[in-house]
Amino acid sequence: MDQTPDALPEPLNVPPANTAEQLSRRGFIALSAALGGCAAVGSPKTDAPVESAARNPAPAKTTANNSYRTPTVQGPVPRNPDVNQSANFNKGVGVTHTRVMVSGNFVAMTFDDGPHPQNTPRLLDMLRARNIKATFYVIGRSVDLYPQVLRRTVAEGHEIGNHTYTHRLLSKLSDSEVRKEMSRCAASVETAAGVRMRTMRPPYGGLLQHQREMIFNEFGYPTILWAVDPLDWKRPGASVVASRILTGTTPGAIILAHDLHAQTVDAMPATLDGLLRKGYQFVTVSQLLAMKTDPATAQASITSP
Ligand code: NI
């Protein structure tokens, strides 16, 4: 849209090297094409590839396709089953996650860079119609602008995660600046909706190992990356976004998308219905972490208060 999100840097979503390797192995996405579109990606050992892009972020033109209207759903839509699953994962779950080993066809749908005044409510309608709970990695600055959208998101049972206050590349910041990005976003979310977040996702996927550990130890947030990236921020078309997600998703996957973009939301009816028809059940990120099938961890998450 033409409003505030234009001021936000375009999400690059450059996966860390190990994730890139995984994705490429599975043939989830045309990763080579993706990397070709991002400046100087390729060094396996640091977050340096995203530096130049972060210094000079391309203007995020989230131009709306005003002619597009999401088709009205005729008749009942597929419904996500009620999942009575604890969200109480414990520290033994680990610092970084792109997917979670689970028994069962559980996946976590995640939406970054909101709240957005039009696109997020439209997405919430779609999720509600299907009884799907998702996880929203919100930008604190946008929460301050649209607190009512965050309150609705929380009221409808979705999980909120920390995506920093200003959406900067954390790997270039000092520890104290990183703490400030985390705590300011946390304060905005607590002020707006009275909830504490349990996990974080770094903008552009860029976070050094020592920063991940610091955040885990000080804030209790595991770093949540992703296993499926439809590259929706490049606006390839709603049907492409849907088919990339449907092709790439496997049990335990954490799926990345952006409710900032109208086209991503346009893709969701087909995406969500397609995954439901394949038998996937949607849970939040914390629920997915809590069902990790390591016996010790599973037992700890059940017995911890
Ligand atoms: Ni982002």
Side-chain angles (χ1 to χ4, degrees):
M1 305 299 278
D2 296 332
Q3 292 92 333
T4 313
D6 279 351
L8 301 172
E10 180 131 10
L12 291 177
N13 296 318
V14 177
N18 60 339
T19 311
E21 200 178 309
Q22 275 182 342
L23 291 172
S24 153
R25 257 204 319 273
R26 295 195 187 95
F28 283 172
I29 53 172
L31 194 61
S32 55
L35 298 181
C38 297
V41 172
S43 163
K45 51 185 181 180
T46 68
D47 291 297
V50 284
E51 276 177 41
S52 57
R55 275 199 304 270
N56 282 311
K61 289 201 173 78
T62 55
T63 311
N65 174 8
N66 292 320
S67 63
Y68 183 91
R69 294 289 178 275
T70 305
T72 307
V73 177
Q74 302 294 326
V77 296
R79 184 180 163 84
N80 192 49
D82 289 319
V83 180
N84 184 12
Q85 171 69 35
S86 168
N88 191 24
F89 66 87
N90 82 345
K91 277 199 114 179
V93 75
V95 176
T96 303
H97 303 272
T98 58
R99 58 171 45 254
V100 179
M101 294 304 295
V102 294
S103 52
N105 285 332
F106 297 103
V107 292
M109 195 74 218
T110 65
F111 296 98
D112 288 13
D113 297 353
H116 183 279
Q118 282 87 41
N119 295 331
T120 306
R122 201 155 61 88
L123 173 62
L124 290 172
D125 289 345
M126 295 169 180
L127 295 171
R128 185 168 57 183
R130 294 162 177 80
N131 193 37
I132 288 172
K133 307 304 179 200
T135 304
F136 290 78
Y137 286 96
V138 298
I139 299 172
R141 192 170 57 181
S142 299
V143 170
D144 288 349
L145 288 171
Y146 311 112
Q148 74 286 1
V149 179
L150 187 83
R151 282 194 284 278
R152 179 183 163 191
T153 308
V154 170
E156 296 189 358
H158 303 290
E159 179 172 357
I160 309 299
N162 195 320
H163 198 46
T164 75
Y165 190 78
T166 63
H167 205 269
R168 294 164 74 193
L169 179 61
L170 298 180
S171 56
K172 304 309 295 179
L173 302 186
S174 67
D175 285 357
S176 69
E177 287 175 306
V178 169
R179 286 188 189 100
K180 198 169 159 190
E181 285 285 338
M182 291 292 107
S183 58
R184 284 188 77 191
C185 180
S188 293
V189 167
E190 287 191 40
T191 301
V195 293
R196 283 201 186 157
M197 296 175 285
R198 307 282 312 278
T199 67
M200 70 83 66
R201 172 172 284 155
Y204 318 106
L207 194 61
L208 305 173
Q209 184 60 28
H210 86 268
Q211 295 175 313
R212 296 181 191 188
E213 288 164 11
M214 177 192 81
I215 289 171
F216 189 61
N217 290 330
E218 296 185 13
F219 293 86
Y221 300 146
T223 295
I224 306 299
L225 300 172
W226 52 84
V228 182
D229 179 1
L231 301 170
D232 58 310
W233 57 272
K234 290 183 158 193
R235 297 183 292 283
S239 62
V240 174
V241 171
S243 71
R244 284 176 178 166
I245 292 175
L246 288 170
T247 305
T249 299
T250 53
I254 296 167
I255 304 164
L256 173 68
H258 297 81
D259 57 327
L260 183 65
H261 299 301
Q263 199 179 78
T264 301
V265 178
D266 295 343
M268 284 304 117
T271 303
L272 301 173
D273 293 348
L275 290 173
L276 287 168
R277 286 195 192 96
K278 286 183 167 203
Y280 287 108
Q281 298 186 45
F282 292 87
V283 294
T284 67
V285 165
S286 287
Q287 286 176 319
L288 195 69
L289 291 178
M291 63 175 78
K292 186 176 177 185
T293 55
D294 171 78
T297 305
Q299 190 54 36
S301 71
I302 290 164
T303 55
S304 62

